Amino acid sequence: MVKFNFYGHSCFSLTTENNIILVDPFFTDNPLTKVKPEDIDCQYILVSHAHFDHLGDAPAIAARTGATIIAIPEVLKLCGKTANTYGMNIGGSHSFPFGMVRMTLAIHSCGTAGGIACGFVINFKKGPTIYYSGDTALFSDMQIIGAKEKIDYAILPIGDNFTMGKEDAARSVQLLKAHNVIPVHYNTWPAIRQDPKLFKQIAESLIAVDVHIVEPGKSLELTKW
């Protein structure tokens, strides 16, 4: 069983029987969460890019917990020499105790010189295949990701302005052929104000998919796989 725990914006964790995988750990100054970074425990941290609302508290949480930060090398340089890190790059994959992680393209700026933004496909050993796009625009190669993987859950931004909006996110669901979708990266600030119910309506009208709206502070058991 894998549980999705949402902390608002694009910050979430994936909890399995033996591991907690924290993703884009933006707690400090996140207006959608009351959780403090010192309250978080995890063994792995995935970071999609170096903007403050995604790299967030990764270095501090890793230093306290001993968690391994997984990101591209340019982002890992921002995490300090004492952090446990594992570097990857676009198209590469690696097996971890919880399953296989493949790093995918994202169309977005990275937030650090020489770096590129990314997404992740996570194939859990005992659980679903999850695609987290990171911050991205709609791009046609999402079709390739969907053809290569049977995506049980896609975690996608819908906020517009800095990422794709609800219409493009719905179109990405078609390309990915995802069975379930969880929207993120919306309503944190006025610039990315969106109605997730409208996204759900658009996406579910285009393709046979279940859109799960998870409120910050809530969890969802990912049982459909």
Side-chain angles (χ1 to χ4, degrees), residues 10 132-136 155-160 163-165 169 182-185:
S10 292
Y132 169 52
S133 69
D135 281 9
T136 190
I155 302 171
L156 305 173
I158 66 166
D160 214 344
T163 68
M164 57 186 177
I182 303 172
V184 297
H185 204 282

Side-chain angles (χ1 to χ4, degrees), residues 160-210:
D160 214 344
N161 197 76
F162 300 110
T163 68
M164 57 186 177
K166 57 184 179 297
E167 291 85 3
D168 280 358
R171 176 61 176 144
S172 76
V173 177
Q174 284 187 303
L175 298 179
L176 293 164
K177 296 182 179 179
H179 298 161
N180 298 272
V181 175
I182 303 172
V184 297
H185 204 282
Y186 65 92
N187 290 353
T188 317
W189 303 288
I192 56 173
R193 181 72 59 189
Q194 293 291 334
D195 182 355
K197 293 181 181 178
L198 185 53
F199 164 70
K200 176 180 174 71
Q201 178 182 335
I202 296 169
E204 292 181 351
S205 71
L206 293 176
I207 189 173
V209 64
D210 290 328

Side-chain angles (χ1 to χ4, degrees), residues 1 19 26 35 73-74 77 93 122-123 125 130 133 148 150 180 191 204 217:
M1 187 272 291
N19 291 281
F26 173 45
V35 176
E74 289 82 359
K77 287 181 180 178
S93 60
I122 307 170
N123 298 103
K125 290 181 178 179
I130 298 172
S133 69
K148 183 178 176 66
K150 181 185 77 68
N180 298 272
E204 292 181 351

Side-chain angles (χ1 to χ4, degrees), residues 139-153:
F139 60 99
S140 61
D141 281 1
M142 286 180 172
Q143 187 170 4
I144 297 176
I145 297 173
K148 183 178 176 66
E149 311 280 356
K150 181 185 77 68
I151 298 172
D152 298 303
Y153 289 85

Side-chain angles (χ1 to χ4, degrees), residues 50-90:
H51 289 154
F52 77 96
D53 55 332
H54 293 266
L55 176 60
D57 298 289
I61 293 172
R64 178 177 56 80
T65 63
T68 299
I69 303 175
I70 303 168
I72 66 166
E74 289 82 359
V75 171
L76 293 178
K77 287 181 180 178
L78 303 176
C79 296
K81 294 182 179 180
T82 59
N84 294 325
T85 61
Y86 190 87
M88 297 181 66
N89 219 313
I90 305 300

